Amino acid sequence: MKTIATLIFVLFIGVTAQAQTAIEEVKVATIEMSIVSEASTEEVSLENTIEVARLYKRDNARVTKALSFTTKRNKAKMA
């Protein structure tokens, strides 16, 4: 009897939960745009410049090289 009452209670809660969802209409604001028939052209000048770029195998290669320095006090001492 307890399982039947529990099953009816769960079904009742489920039906009332689905009955509560209301569908709202979403209104969309429209924007009118006009067509522009003018075409503008821009002149692009190409410059012949030679640039040298360095290629590193890993990201942040200069940073890791700078951080990997050693000093005289980094060496282990025998006690």
Side-chain angles (χ1 to χ4, degrees):
M1 185 66 183
K2 184 177 179 183
T3 57
I4 295 172
T6 305
L7 184 62
I8 291 172
F9 178 73
V10 169
L11 289 175
F12 178 74
I13 295 296
V15 168
T16 55
Q18 285 194 0
Q20 296 297 324
T21 58
I23 300 172
E24 297 179 7
E25 292 185 20
V26 178
K27 295 183 179 180
V28 179
T30 58
I31 299 173
E32 293 183 14
M33 299 183 75
S34 62
I35 298 173
V36 178
S37 62
E38 295 179 15
S40 62
T41 58
E42 296 180 9
E43 294 182 16
V44 178
S45 62
L46 299 175
E47 297 178 9
N48 293 331
T49 58
I50 299 172
E51 296 181 5
V52 178
R54 293 183 181 174
L55 180 65
Y56 294 101
K57 292 181 182 178
R58 288 176 273 135
D59 293 337
N60 299 325
R62 280 195 273 176
V63 174
T64 55
K65 184 179 178 183
L67 292 176
S68 65
F69 69 94
T70 58
T71 61
K72 292 179 182 177
R73 295 187 183 205
N74 284 353
K75 298 178 183 176
K77 293 183 181 179
M78 294 289 290

